[in-house]
Amino acid sequence: MRRCQEDLAPTPEHPGCIYGEMAMCLRPCQQVVGPAEYRTEVGRVVDFLRTDGGSLLDAISHSRDRLSEEMQFEEAARQHKRYEKVLDVIKQADDIARDVDRLNGVAITTSLAADSVQMWFVRGGIWQEPQRFSFEVRDGAPVSLDSKLRETFASVTPRKLTVRERQEYLALLARWYYSTWRDGEWLSFESYDDIPYRKLVNAVSRVAAKAHT
């Protein structure tokens, strides 16, 4: 897939780039492939991301098994090595390496307010309004963190952003997540209907404890 940002006007006279020369791009700019072939390749990449690599692993394993059944053992061995390489790549994926529409989680950071942490919610790849989470005391007794967190997440109202706004906010998330100075924790989950509250309680407690050290 192309790495360039220009609006293409494909023509055989297009100068191309180094990626095309290194066979790391299908070179649609030079009409080496047509729209249909390029669309198919993009679709394969999208499927790879949406299935966390499962679509490619399935294709390779089916090919390997078929070749083995046909007693083409040398080619089957090559496919098995390819399978292992893809598996190694998938294992390197971290919590935010996923299809953006499935990016759900919360960043928990320290707060300037006493006995509080700041919670930054991401839902479907879109930042929601952040909230300050405080450790309340009611009637002289601390409120259950689990109960308070459930109330907090229930109050998160989905909002919409423009494509540009979404890109900018996700760039901020990536910068924070991959930084050496990250001052909090990130917790991913599949959906807001299936939040791992026990892990969330532990993460909030750790961030709060660090703020007082």
Side-chain angles (χ1 to χ4, degrees):
M1 291 169 57
R2 68 190 184 103
R3 293 162 171 78
C4 54
Q5 300 295 318
E6 64 178 294
D7 293 330
L8 293 185
T11 171
E13 287 72 40
H14 193 285
C17 69
I18 187 64
Y19 292 108
E21 295 298 325
M22 296 170 63
M24 295 178 66
C25 176
L26 293 175
R27 296 157 67 188
C29 58
Q30 298 174 317
Q31 294 183 323
V32 174
V33 297
E37 186 176 355
Y38 189 76
R39 188 180 299 113
T40 297
E41 182 64 18
V42 172
R44 290 178 63 241
V45 174
V46 170
D47 287 343
F48 178 88
L49 296 174
R50 284 181 175 168
T51 62
D52 297 326
S55 61
L56 183 56
L57 287 177
D58 287 345
I60 296 173
S61 64
H62 289 156
S63 177
R64 177 194 59 194
D65 295 344
R66 177 181 55 80
L67 290 165
S68 182
E69 291 173 0
E70 295 173 356
M71 293 188 291
Q72 299 183 46
F73 300 119
E74 186 175 342
E75 187 58 34
R78 290 197 195 94
Q79 291 297 319
H80 183 69
K81 288 183 178 179
R82 185 181 175 214
Y83 183 96
E84 291 179 330
K85 287 181 179 179
V86 174
L87 195 59
D88 286 341
V89 171
I90 293 172
K91 288 179 179 178
Q92 295 177 39
D94 52 48
D95 284 344
I96 66 171
R98 61 177 62 200
D99 174 23
V100 68
D101 291 330
R102 291 173 44 230
L103 181 57
N104 298 298
V106 59
I108 307 160
T109 64
T110 57
S111 173
L112 294 176
D115 299 320
S116 302
V117 296
Q118 200 74 11
M119 305 189 77
W120 310 80
F121 309 96
V122 176
R123 185 168 189 164
I126 296 176
W127 282 102
Q128 310 301 314
E129 290 294 335
Q131 294 188 38
R132 179 179 296 164
F133 182 85
S134 59
F135 301 92
E136 289 186 69
V137 175
R138 296 177 186 170
D139 299 325
V143 179
S144 164
L145 284 183
D146 184 278
S147 299
K148 182 72 185 301
L149 285 168
R150 290 177 187 273
E151 293 175 6
T152 300
F153 273 82
S155 68
V156 176
T157 304
R159 67 170 179 166
K160 293 183 179 181
L161 298 176
T162 64
V163 173
R164 182 61 179 271
E165 289 173 328
R166 192 187 202 190
Q167 291 174 338
E168 290 176 349
Y169 280 123
L170 290 177
L172 289 174
L173 171 61
R175 182 182 178 189
W176 171 80
Y177 184 87
Y178 294 114
S179 69
T180 56
W181 44 262
R182 192 170 78 184
D183 58 348
E185 295 195 21
W186 168 262
L187 181 65
S188 289
F189 36 83
E190 286 301 314
S191 74
Y192 271 65
D193 296 324
D194 188 24
I195 298 170
Y197 284 103
R198 179 175 296 180
K199 290 183 178 180
L200 188 57
V201 167
N202 292 335
V204 168
S205 299
R206 286 193 296 268
V207 173
K210 289 179 181 178
H212 292 88
T213 56

